[in-house]
Coordinates of all heavy atoms in Angstrom, one line a residue:
R180 N -5.0 -5.5 15.7 CA -3.7 -5.6 15.1 C -3.7 -5.1 13.7 O -4.7 -5.0 13.0 CB -3.1 -7.0 15.2 CG -3.8 -8.0 14.2 CD -3.3 -9.4 14.5 NE -3.8 -10.4 13.5 CZ -5.0 -10.9 13.6 NH1 -5.8 -10.6 14.6 NH2 -5.4 -11.8 12.7
R181 N -2.5 -4.7 13.3 CA -2.3 -4.3 11.9 C -1.5 -5.4 11.2 O -0.5 -5.8 11.7 CB -1.5 -3.0 11.8 CG -1.4 -2.3 10.4 CD -0.6 -1.1 10.4 NE -0.7 -0.4 9.2 CZ 0.2 0.4 8.7 NH1 1.3 0.6 9.3 NH2 0.0 1.1 7.5
T182 N -2.0 -5.8 10.0 CA -1.3 -6.8 9.3 C -0.8 -6.3 7.9 O -1.3 -5.4 7.3 CB -2.3 -8.0 8.9 OG1 -3.4 -7.5 8.1 CG2 -2.9 -8.5 10.2
A183 N 0.3 -6.9 7.5 CA 0.9 -6.5 6.2 C 1.3 -7.8 5.5 O 2.1 -8.6 6.1 CB 2.1 -5.6 6.4
E184 N 0.7 -8.1 4.4 CA 0.9 -9.4 3.7 C 1.0 -9.2 2.2 O 0.6 -8.2 1.6 CB -0.2 -10.4 4.0 CG -0.3 -10.7 5.5 CD -1.6 -11.5 5.8 OE1 -2.6 -11.3 5.1 OE2 -1.5 -12.4 6.7
L185 N 1.7 -10.2 1.6 CA 1.7 -10.3 0.1 C 0.9 -11.5 -0.3 O 1.2 -12.6 0.1 CB 3.2 -10.4 -0.4 CG 4.1 -9.2 -0.2 CD1 5.5 -9.6 -0.6 CD2 3.6 -8.0 -1.0
W186 N -0.1 -11.2 -1.1 CA -1.0 -12.3 -1.6 C -0.8 -12.5 -3.1 O -0.8 -11.5 -3.8 CB -2.5 -12.0 -1.3 CG -2.9 -12.2 0.1 CD1 -2.2 -12.0 1.2 CD2 -4.2 -12.6 0.5 NE1 -2.9 -12.3 2.3 CE2 -4.2 -12.7 2.0 CE3 -5.4 -12.9 -0.1 CZ2 -5.3 -13.0 2.7 CZ3 -6.5 -13.2 0.6 CH2 -6.4 -13.3 2.0
T187 N -0.5 -13.7 -3.5 CA -0.3 -14.0 -4.9 C -1.6 -14.7 -5.5 O -2.1 -15.7 -4.9 CB 0.9 -14.9 -5.1 OG1 2.0 -14.3 -4.6 CG2 1.1 -15.2 -6.6
F188 N -2.1 -14.1 -6.5 CA -3.3 -14.6 -7.2 C -2.9 -15.1 -8.6 O -2.0 -14.5 -9.2 CB -4.4 -13.5 -7.4 CG -5.0 -13.0 -6.1 CD1 -4.4 -11.9 -5.4 CD2 -6.1 -13.6 -5.6 CE1 -5.0 -11.5 -4.2 CE2 -6.6 -13.2 -4.4 CZ -6.1 -12.1 -3.7
E189 N -3.5 -16.2 -9.1 CA -3.2 -16.7 -10.4 C -4.5 -17.1 -11.1 O -5.5 -17.4 -10.5 CB -2.3 -18.0 -10.2 CG -0.9 -17.7 -9.6 CD -0.1 -18.9 -9.5 OE1 -0.5 -20.0 -10.0 OE2 1.0 -18.9 -9.0
R190 N -4.4 -17.1 -12.4 CA -5.5 -17.7 -13.2 C -4.9 -18.1 -14.6 O -4.0 -17.5 -15.1 CB -6.6 -16.7 -13.4 CG -6.4 -15.6 -14.4 CD -7.6 -14.8 -14.6 NE -8.7 -15.5 -15.3 CZ -8.8 -15.6 -16.6 NH1 -8.0 -14.9 -17.4 NH2 -9.8 -16.3 -17.1
E191 N -5.5 -19.1 -15.2 CA -5.2 -19.5 -16.5 C -5.9 -18.6 -17.5 O -7.1 -18.5 -17.5 CB -5.7 -21.0 -16.8 CG -4.9 -22.0 -16.0 CD -3.5 -22.3 -16.6 OE1 -3.3 -21.8 -17.8 OE2 -2.7 -22.9 -15.9
V192 N -5.1 -17.9 -18.3 CA -5.7 -16.8 -19.2 C -6.7 -17.4 -20.2 O -7.6 -16.7 -20.7 CB -4.6 -16.0 -19.9 CG1 -3.9 -15.2 -18.8 CG2 -3.7 -16.9 -20.7
K193 N -6.5 -18.7 -20.6 CA -7.4 -19.3 -21.5 C -8.6 -20.0 -20.9 O -9.5 -20.5 -21.6 CB -6.6 -20.4 -22.3 CG -5.5 -19.8 -23.3 CD -4.9 -20.9 -24.1 CE -3.9 -20.3 -25.1 NZ -3.2 -21.3 -25.9
S194 N -8.7 -19.9 -19.6 CA -9.8 -20.5 -18.9 C -11.1 -19.7 -19.1 O -11.0 -18.4 -19.1 CB -9.5 -20.7 -17.4 OG -10.6 -21.1 -16.7
A195 N -12.2 -20.4 -19.1 CA -13.5 -19.7 -19.2 C -13.9 -19.1 -17.9 O -14.7 -18.2 -17.8 CB -14.6 -20.6 -19.7
N196 N -13.2 -19.5 -16.8 CA -13.5 -19.0 -15.5 C -12.7 -17.7 -15.3 O -11.5 -17.8 -15.3 CB -13.1 -20.1 -14.4 CG -13.4 -19.6 -13.0 OD1 -13.9 -18.5 -12.8 ND2 -13.2 -20.5 -12.1
P197 N -13.4 -16.6 -15.1 CA -12.6 -15.3 -14.9 C -12.0 -15.1 -13.6 O -11.2 -14.1 -13.4 CB -13.7 -14.3 -15.2 CG -15.0 -14.9 -14.7 CD -14.8 -16.4 -15.0
N198 N -12.3 -16.0 -12.6 CA -11.8 -15.8 -11.2 C -10.3 -16.1 -11.1 O -9.8 -17.0 -11.7 CB -12.6 -16.6 -10.3 CG -14.1 -16.2 -10.2 OD1 -14.4 -15.1 -10.4 ND2 -14.9 -17.2 -9.9
W199 N -9.7 -15.3 -10.2 CA -8.3 -15.5 -9.8 C -8.3 -16.3 -8.5 O -9.1 -16.0 -7.6 CB -7.6 -14.2 -9.6 CG -7.4 -13.3 -10.8 CD1 -8.4 -12.7 -11.6 CD2 -6.2 -13.1 -11.5 NE1 -7.8 -12.0 -12.6 CE2 -6.5 -12.2 -12.6 CE3 -4.8 -13.5 -11.3 CZ2 -5.5 -11.8 -13.5 CZ3 -3.9 -13.0 -12.1 CH2 -4.2 -12.2 -13.2
L200 N -7.4 -17.2 -8.4 CA -7.3 -18.0 -7.2 C -6.1 -17.5 -6.3 O -5.1 -17.2 -6.8 CB -7.1 -19.5 -7.5 CG -8.3 -20.2 -8.2 CD1 -7.9 -21.6 -8.5 CD2 -9.5 -20.1 -7.4

Side-chain angles (χ1 to χ4, degrees):
R180 67 187 186 281
R181 189 181 189 207
T182 64
E184 297 174 326
L185 292 174
W186 282 33
T187 301
F188 294 90
E189 298 181 2
R190 75 173 295 269
E191 292 285 345
V192 293
K193 292 184 177 180
S194 173
N196 184 355
N198 294 333
W199 293 70
L200 296 180

